[in-house]
Amino acid sequence: MNRITILCLALVMPLSILAQELPLDFEVAEDDNWSAFNGATVGVVVDPTDAGNQVLELSSNGVDFDGAALNMGTYIDLSDDNNNTITLDFWAPDATSRTHLLKLEGAANGPVATELYFNTNAAGWQTITLDFGPGLANDYPILVLFADAGGGNTATGTYYIDDISGPNGAVIPEDPVPSGPASIPTVPDSEVYSIYNDNPGYSTNFPVAYDFGTLSGEIDLDDTANVNNALKFNFGVAGWGQGEGGPDDVSSYGFVSFDYWAGPMVVGFDFVMISNDGGVTEHKYQISIQEPIVNEAWTTVEIPMSFFTNIGFADTAFWQWKFSPLNDSVDNNGIVYIDNLLLTQNSLSTSEFDLESVGVYPNPTTNNWNINSKAEISKLVLFDMLGKEILSIVPNTNEVAIDATSYKTGVYFARIEGENGTRTVKLVKQ
């Protein structure tokens, strides 16, 4: 077919799903594993100009940066300054001048990201040649296409892409995967504001309007006929979250909880609650700071809502949430799976969410809390209302006594670890 060739000047800017290597011709199933973001839609379809050909269809949503990302099976290698060109065939619907963007992300051996804008101004197929600059990495694992890119670019359109070619590097090692899923929560519907989980019975849900950041996928970790999905993050690349059109009033909920499974190299990550009460503000709970990271095991995190409100979160104006690399640094980070992100009226320790029963008496107390469990308690960490760790012990028994006589009046939380997982118990000192 007749195609117009466009040459773009270099502009360099820093920054186990089936995947593929270059070239991508969209004739094999692996080439269809794109994830759309910011309201775009993406999928492999029959070429509207050639019924014997398959192409990628990418439709924009009218926001500044909307598009789709693909996790590669082989790194894209741009380290050779004499061989760092990527070409693609791009179909535009008309002769309107349009701006698009191709970006590579996630490198460890050089600039973490690099990108080039390119323009189209003719209807039909065009061959785009992107010559990247010097000094780039040999290990880009993520390819991103922005349908209509640039600040203030609200254009919309449906585009077709074919034959993305460029230099390949080494095969990407397989990501770590949990041996099984997190448990599906059974907290009563009347007590839950559900953000992400597999319990279909919850009627109060976060009204998702858009996604932002980079997500590595949504993975079914149940090897039976049942489905138990988890969100897969690569914090060596970026974080990811969702927003709503709201904001929403969640002031009736006393706790925020989620389950995570962190790969062996992960040093920590941030969970961020974002409110919009006359201004957008972010409020972090940091795994490895507020509590230590647990690697290669499903771990339940429960945070009092007061932790966030005490650092400025407006619980009447909940607007966005996200998980991010620890302190927004992609160094020494990797794969994390997240499930069961919930707001609850009561602590999970009063629900059937956990497998083993834990008892506390007396509670409230003026002197000692006695904590017992059907399973051996391997570790107990006590936090105050602000999430500050004030006690950590390794009892390796079924019963623990905590001397509370020197503690101030108020609410505390004990995170209890055992062979059946981790749970948090609310404690009250009178």
Side-chain angles (χ1 to χ4, degrees), residues 294-300 354-358 371-381 393-400 414-425:
V294 177
N295 297 94
E296 299 185 278
W298 279 109
T299 301
T300 299
D354 301 286
L355 298 178
E356 292 295 330
S357 175
V358 173
I371 301 174
N372 59 59
S373 171
K374 291 182 179 179
E376 183 178 280
I377 300 172
S378 59
K379 186 175 183 179
L380 186 149
V381 183
I393 56 176
V394 183
N396 293 320
T397 62
N398 292 68
E399 186 164 342
V400 179
R415 192 183 71 245
I416 301 166
E417 299 177 15
E419 62 182 10
N420 294 299
T422 303
R423 64 179 302 174
T424 301
V425 176

Side-chain angles (χ1 to χ4, degrees), residues 239-282:
W240 183 85
Q242 294 180 320
E244 59 155 302
D248 211 355
D249 185 344
V250 294
S251 58
S252 63
Y253 298 93
F255 299 88
V256 184
S257 62
F258 59 87
D259 292 330
Y260 76 87
W261 189 97
M265 302 304 293
V266 178
V267 298
F269 60 92
D270 295 344
F271 170 63
V272 187
M273 294 281 282
I274 304 169
S275 57
N276 186 357
D277 183 21
V280 177
T281 54
E282 298 189 356

